Amino acid sequence: MGFNIAVDGPAGAGKSTIAKRAAQELSFIYVDTGAMYRAIALYFLRHHVCVEHPEEVENACDQIQIAIRYENQEQQVFLNGENVTAFLRTEEVGNMASVSSAKPAVRAKLLNLQREIAQKENVLMDGRDIGSNVLPGAELKIYLTASVQTRAERRYQELKEKGIACNLEEIKKDIEERDYRDMNRDVSPLVKTEDAVLIDSSNMTIDQVVESILNLYQERRHSL
């Protein structure tokens, strides 16, 4: 049985960047569950799956195989044998993932895979419902958040650096809408569990957040 760290939080809070860094520092396996959901979203987009039709979603899920592999210590996501890692971070895929991840068939598709990895390895897993649903028995749970304004500004800068045209107010509106969907969906909504430690990164650097997680891990490990 591995030591499990669950990191949950809203879109744009920096979960993936911070969780990846912390996992490397701890020599844990980093599991980006959001990338798994994005892979399914990519399949839906490519195959024009209507996510409002449950039977269509279920049939599509039956055609999907997701695999996680590590190359040069970097997580690679494979969709039906194709490495799709480079296609997963577009706004279109992110918005589709926010909608499709609320569908029971999609969540069931990935739940067993995520739990199997955590059962065997020391993992740091991030997502929307890791502490509440995927790994409710995780030894350490963290709820990582930041203000909507901060998250929007971070995303705006990220897109500008990539040369992608964007509008700050539109990004802010998109984040607010995704927050509402994630927190109010019927299946496994985004919540801060009672035993999760809240980290608000609005006024923190990445290094400071990573250090906080490492300190929390040391405290929890010594208390077990």
Side-chain angles (χ1 to χ4, degrees):
M1 177 67 180
F3 190 105
N4 297 165
I5 302 176
V7 179
D8 290 305
K15 295 188 302 297
S16 296
T17 299
I18 288 163
K20 188 183 300 184
R21 281 272 304 276
Q24 288 176 340
E25 293 286 342
L26 294 169
S27 297
F28 276 34
I29 289 178
Y30 166 59
V31 181
D32 179 0
T33 61
M36 295 178 175
Y37 284 107
R38 283 172 178 261
I40 290 181
L42 179 64
Y43 181 94
F44 286 176
L45 288 168
R46 286 178 171 180
H47 294 269
H48 308 290
V49 175
C50 179
V51 295
E52 300 309 320
H53 294 165
E55 186 174 341
E56 193 171 338
V57 170
E58 290 180 18
N59 290 337
C61 285
D62 289 339
Q63 305 302 315
I64 295 173
Q65 291 298 322
I66 304 292
I68 299 292
R69 301 174 195 166
Y70 283 83
E71 299 176 1
N72 299 320
Q73 296 186 324
E74 290 289 332
Q75 176 181 270
Q76 304 295 317
V77 182
F78 288 78
L79 170 63
N80 292 344
E82 175 193 357
N83 187 337
V84 295
T85 308
F87 306 108
L88 302 183
R89 293 297 168 184
T90 67
E91 290 295 295
E92 184 183 24
V93 171
N95 286 330
M96 171 59 84
S98 179
V99 175
S100 61
S101 64
K103 307 305 177 183
V106 174
R107 304 202 75 79
K109 179 75 180 180
L110 294 179
L111 183 60
N112 288 339
L113 174 59
Q114 293 162 358
R115 286 178 174 170
E116 284 173 7
I117 296 172
Q119 183 71 26
K120 300 173 184 176
E121 308 283 352
N122 292 331
V123 302
L124 198 160
M125 192 177 296
D126 76 318
R128 300 288 194 279
D129 66 337
I130 309 306
S132 61
N133 183 51
V134 180
L135 302 177
E139 286 80 3
L140 174 59
K141 298 179 185 179
I142 293 164
Y143 189 87
L144 178 63
T145 190
S147 69
V148 171
Q149 185 68 32
T150 297
R151 288 184 278 144
E153 289 174 354
R154 288 173 180 170
R155 183 60 174 160
Y156 177 77
Q157 291 299 326
E158 179 184 349
L159 292 172
K160 282 196 68 176
E161 289 171 5
K162 293 179 179 179
I164 300 173
C166 55
N167 178 280
L168 180 59
E169 288 305 312
E170 289 180 1
I171 293 173
K172 184 177 177 180
K173 181 180 178 182
D174 180 57
I175 287 175
E176 289 173 337
E177 291 175 349
R178 290 175 68 177
D179 283 355
Y180 182 83
R181 286 197 302 267
D182 290 342
M183 294 177 181
N184 291 278
R185 65 193 183 199
D186 293 331
V187 180
S188 301
L190 170 64
V191 296
K192 176 188 174 298
T193 61
E194 290 186 2
D195 54 347
V197 179
L198 174 67
I199 298 179
D200 187 329
S201 68
S202 298
N203 298 306
M204 298 174 71
T205 65
I206 291 174
D207 287 342
Q208 288 172 331
V209 178
V210 170
E211 184 178 0
S212 294
I213 292 175
L214 299 183
N215 289 337
L216 288 168
Y217 164 73
Q218 293 296 340
E219 292 172 5
R220 192 60 50 89
R221 186 170 66 86
H222 289 306
S223 68
L224 294 176

